Amino acid sequence: MNAPVTAQRSAQSSSSQPQTGLGALWRPALKQAFVKLDPRQLVRSPVMLVVELTALVTSVLCFVPSPTVSTALGVQIALWLWFTVLFANFAEALAEGRGKARADSLKSGSQGLMASKQVGAQFQSVPASSLRKGDVVRVEAGELIPGDGEVIEGVAAVNEAAITGESAPVIRESGGDRSAVTGNTRLVSDWLLVRISADPGESTLDRMIALVEGARRQKTPNEVALDILLIGLTLIFLLVVATLQPFARFAGGDLPLIYLAALLVTLIPTTIGGLLSAIGIAGMDRLVRLNVIAKSGRAVEAAGDVHTLLLDKTGTITFGNRRCSAMVKAPGVATPELAEAALLASQGDDTPEGKSIIEYLASLHPMAVPERSGMTLIAFSAETRLSGADVNGVAYRKGAVDAVLAYLGLGRSDLPAPLAREVEKIAQSGGTPLLVAGNGRLLGAIHLKDVVKPGIRERFAELRAMGIRTVMVTGDNPLTAAAIAAEAGVDDVIAEATPEKKLARIRAEQAEGKLVAMCGDGANDAPALAQADVGLAMNDGTQAAREAANLVDLDSDPTKLIDVVQVGKELLVTRGALTTFSVANDVAKYFAILPALFAGIYPQLGTLNLMQLHSPQSAILSAIVFNALIIVALIPLALRGVHIQALDAGQLLRRNLLIYGLGGLVAPFVGIKLLDLLLVGLGWV
């Protein structure tokens, strides 16, 4: 194959993450708060649109002479109403700003990018933006991969720092489960022939940009449902406020229109209405910071309600490679002799297992290793299942039990009874026993085991406390699978797993009304990923897995699924907590303000004015000020999210009702009374 003429031009990629601190974002967010006053933008938030329209009406009424409302009071009410809208916009803009900085960085990295596209037997330099699904491109060392695709020829190291932030190169090759490549990542060695797998606008980079740019984010079903609830509550309170004037007129009194407009704003759920969009965008931002791309917001919401979590054993629960964990000496053999033989026999074993034996022995029995030039190394092979070294005329061998016994000319019955029992015990525990021989003599055994990752048991315990059941999926035999499952602390295990078994288990769980999450990277995982409510595919896995899943982890870390569940729960709980707080606020404000507002018309209501607010003017202004300030106070919580503790759904509901429900009822009484005293003391009313 002829090498193409390199004609790639691109902006310098950077692995550094953009600064997303509040200090660097508040200025552009403040500007956007005014831009978002455009009703065409506010229509996405019906509650805040009502507040803006009310602010407009109130601003006009300020200049209409009124015997009961002074111009100064009218101006104050109008200003606080505008303040309410602006800070709701500010919260949304602040949440959007966190992602836009990274989006701009990603966009700049792909501008002007060229690709070497295969046209017949030749390669032509074309803009990367012109590539379509199915096109084949060749990428040389030092060039950027022009789009998402699958390696069809070649092996190379790829730096994915521009996407994942991780500077360590990863190997990508044709065939297998590590053939997928991501656009805008850089080749650091060799060359690759890549078949493009996504049209413009559908690549990982495009999805990432769309996800972090909150303005383009589609509302999730939960947000849509909340919008419907908020619109319903707004209509109810609009009806309530509209009927107050007839009641007042019937009693021979009158309520100024500006009071009614302000009262409407204080009663409708402005708190959650102003923060709902910011909560959703901030939740997606937390997901992006985990380097997870969501194809839909529904997947993130579903993650928050997951009942069952299917996790692949290899690489997720365990390190994936068996490691040396212990040594057992044969009768009459000294420990140093066994250690030296195992160390020498492992010098020719370049497998992860062989390296782990060397690491284990180096930490326990430091000893000098002869120069390799003085040894004859026997490399491990699948055929012999042995590795070893001949040193100074002495042969050292290490390998599978049957292979070493055959090498020594022995049978299973020739194993010393104590050693035979230890070998059997290792096998029954799910480990792999290896025998070690030196100078024609059996010296002992090595225990290889699939090591469970530290801290994973505690993480499963947290999930269990949240009501999530964990299921380990493995191709191991039931005995080995059970041993590892017990050590890891999972709730259930699927041994000797096949695609059909995974699919059947997911469908069985869903038939019981449960939401199921699963992670995978191979083509054989695609059916299960597509069936699961939450499917997390590894970015370095096969194209089939990435297309089947609704979440893609750019770091290719299967344990990320646990973090995704955490983000999903935080998102749902934050919305629920602030909705509870907002509705409780509205109820409290209703009973706090109306007695003071109607005391002059219905003197009997004076007994219900438990807060002893100074006057109707101070009551309405205090409520408007409180309504605006409470949004400001809750912005940090909306952006950060409510911290999820290890509680089940019932406990979590009781906790949030106590904190945010009771807090929402108490806060207005305390806040409005303090503001009433302050405003009267300042002489503003």
Side-chain angles (χ1 to χ4, degrees):
M1 181 178 294
N2 296 326
V5 177
T6 301
Q8 224 176 20
R9 175 173 57 87
S10 67
Q12 179 67 31
S13 294
S14 171
S15 62
S16 60
Q17 299 294 325
Q19 297 221 348
T20 56
L22 295 184
L25 297 176
W26 75 269
R27 292 179 189 275
L30 194 58
K31 179 182 177 181
Q32 281 297 311
F34 286 91
V35 174
K36 289 176 179 290
L37 289 175
D38 185 344
R40 290 171 297 182
Q41 294 198 41
L42 272 182
V43 74
R44 295 182 296 114
S45 179
V47 174
M48 298 318 298
L49 180 61
V50 170
V51 177
E52 182 180 43
L53 294 176
T54 306
L56 280 170
V57 171
T58 306
S59 299
V60 173
L61 292 176
C62 288
F63 301 98
V64 178
S66 172
T68 54
V69 181
S70 66
T71 302
L73 179 62
V75 169
Q76 289 184 72
I77 292 175
L79 287 175
W80 280 107
L81 288 176
W82 284 115
F83 181 86
T84 302
V85 181
L86 284 171
F87 256 88
N89 290 347
F90 177 75
E92 182 178 3
L94 201 59
E96 290 174 359
R98 288 184 165 188
K100 284 186 176 179
R102 183 167 187 179
D104 292 340
S105 174
L106 292 170
K107 286 177 182 177
S108 66
S110 60
Q111 290 173 353
L113 183 63
M114 303 295 289
S116 296
K117 175 183 174 182
Q118 186 177 32
V119 181
Q122 302 296 321
F123 289 90
Q124 293 181 1
S125 178
V126 299
S129 58
S130 68
L131 295 175
R132 295 293 183 271
K133 187 174 182 179
D135 289 344
V136 175
V137 298
R138 181 179 169 109
V139 189
E140 301 280 353
E143 295 179 349
L144 291 179
I145 297 173
D148 288 3
E150 194 155 13
V151 178
I152 58 176
E153 189 175 339
V155 180
V158 180
N159 186 340
E160 299 183 338
I163 299 294
T164 67
E166 176 56 56
S167 59
V170 293
I171 301 299
R172 294 290 177 262
E173 58 186 336
S174 60
D177 290 347
R178 297 295 179 265
S179 59
V181 291
T182 306
N184 214 43
T185 57
R186 190 178 297 278
L187 223 65
V188 296
S189 73
D190 303 292
W191 60 271
L192 292 175
L193 204 61
V194 177
R195 179 180 288 112
I196 299 300
S197 60
D199 288 326
E202 299 177 356
S203 68
T204 298
L205 183 64
D206 294 320
R207 285 173 180 161
M208 196 168 190
I209 292 171
L211 184 63
V212 297
E213 287 186 325
R216 299 183 184 180
R217 185 184 61 86
Q218 296 295 315
K219 287 192 175 184
T220 64
N222 183 268
E223 286 177 287
V224 172
L226 269 179
D227 269 341
I228 294 172
L229 172 65
L230 300 184
I231 292 171
L233 290 174
T234 301
L235 291 174
I236 290 172
F237 281 116
L238 180 62
L239 182 63
V240 169
V241 172
T243 58
L244 291 179
Q245 185 68 287
F247 279 113
R249 294 278 176 86
F250 179 77
D254 184 71
L255 289 175
L257 185 57
I258 197 169
Y259 281 9
L260 293 174
L263 181 63
L264 174 64
V265 172
T266 61
L267 294 183
I268 63 176
T270 51
T271 305
I272 185 62
L275 296 175
L276 181 59
S277 183
I279 293 168
I281 295 170
M284 290 298 182
D285 177 62
R286 288 196 292 277
L287 198 68
V288 170
R289 278 185 276 150
L290 288 172
N291 275 336
V292 175
I293 300 299
K295 296 182 182 179
S296 70
R298 185 186 298 273
V300 185
E301 286 190 355
D305 281 332
V306 160
H307 298 91
T308 306
L309 192 59
L310 269 66
L311 294 153
D312 188 50
K313 182 207 73 174
T314 305
T316 307
I317 296 173
T318 67
F319 283 103
N321 296 315
R322 294 169 300 170
R323 297 188 175 191
C324 178
S325 62
M327 294 177 57
V328 181
K329 58 184 181 178
V333 177
T335 300
E337 182 182 5
L338 172 60
E340 181 183 17
L343 182 64
L344 293 173
S346 300
Q347 294 301 309
D349 187 356
D350 289 330
T351 65
E353 290 83 358
K355 292 176 181 178
S356 77
I357 294 171
I358 294 175
E359 291 173 4
Y360 176 81
L361 293 172
S363 64
L364 293 184
H365 306 282
M367 63 189 78
V369 180
E371 292 291 334
R372 289 203 171 196
S373 58
M375 294 188 289
T376 302
L377 299 179
I378 291 87
F380 175 84
S381 72
E383 291 181 6
T384 63
R385 296 187 296 158
L386 284 174
S387 69
D390 294 337
V391 184
N392 298 326
V394 179
Y396 297 96
R397 296 293 185 270
K398 173 220 61 170
V401 173
D402 292 337
V404 172
L405 289 175
Y407 169 77
L408 295 175
L410 303 175
R412 281 268 182 173
S413 59
D414 296 320
L415 273 174
L419 186 60
R421 286 195 296 270
E422 292 298 329
V423 167
E424 185 66 21
K425 188 184 299 182
I426 292 171
Q428 288 181 350
S429 69
T432 301
L434 300 179
L435 291 182
V436 179
N439 201 21
R441 191 162 58 103
L442 195 58
L443 301 178
I446 294 172
H447 184 180
L448 291 181
K449 64 179 295 188
D450 213 349
V451 179
V452 173
K453 291 183 177 180
I456 199 77
R457 188 181 185 91
E458 289 72 21
R459 298 201 74 177
F460 288 155
E462 291 177 11
L463 290 172
R464 192 176 301 109
M466 294 179 188
I468 299 174
R469 183 177 177 82
T470 53
V471 180
M472 185 182 81
V473 181
T474 177
D476 289 337
N477 62 68
L479 188 63
T480 301
I484 296 174
E487 185 178 352
V490 295
D491 299 308
D492 201 356
V493 61
I494 303 176
E496 297 176 341
T498 62
E500 292 77 16
K501 274 190 176 183
K502 299 175 191 176
L503 201 58
R505 178 57 179 266
I506 292 173
R507 287 174 174 169
E509 296 278 347
Q510 291 172 332
E512 297 176 7
K514 299 176 182 177
L515 293 184
V516 183
M518 183 191 168
C519 65
D521 58 1
N524 64 338
D525 293 322
L529 287 169
Q531 180 68 36
D533 300 284
V534 180
L536 179 67
M538 304 298 102
N539 192 50
D540 63 0
T542 61
Q543 187 63 29
R546 294 201 300 181
E547 290 180 354
N550 46 28
L551 296 171
V552 178
D553 176 24
L554 300 179
D555 293 331
S556 299
D557 175 11
T559 60
K560 194 76 68 65
L561 190 54
I562 299 174
D563 296 315
V564 172
V565 170
Q566 190 81 3
V567 169
K569 281 194 173 292
E570 285 181 356
L571 195 58
L572 292 175
V573 171
T574 301
R575 286 203 200 110
L578 291 185
T579 300
T580 302
F581 184 89
S582 180
V583 173
N585 249 270
D586 298 334
V587 173
K589 284 182 285 187
Y590 184 86
F591 289 102
I593 301 168
L594 284 187
L597 201 59
F598 275 85
I601 301 173
Y602 291 100
Q604 297 88 342
L605 290 178
T607 57
L608 297 178
N609 186 15
L610 302 177
M611 295 169 62
Q612 295 297 303
L613 298 180
H614 181 266
S615 64
Q617 293 87 344
S618 69
I620 201 70
L621 184 57
S622 298
I624 284 290
V625 174
F626 175 83
N627 202 58
L629 294 182
I630 201 67
I631 293 179
V632 178
L634 291 175
I635 285 177
L637 181 62
L639 297 181
R640 186 181 66 250
V642 176
H643 177 66
I644 301 298
Q645 295 181 339
L647 303 172
D648 62 28
Q651 292 174 314
L652 199 59
L653 177 62
R654 288 191 294 271
R655 174 180 177 272
N656 284 345
L657 285 176
L658 180 64
I659 296 175
Y660 299 100
L662 185 59
L665 285 172
V666 173
F669 286 101
V670 176
I672 291 174
K673 178 59 179 178
L674 292 176
L675 286 169
D676 180 75
L677 294 173
L678 178 63
L679 294 174
V680 172
L682 293 173
W684 289 7
V685 288

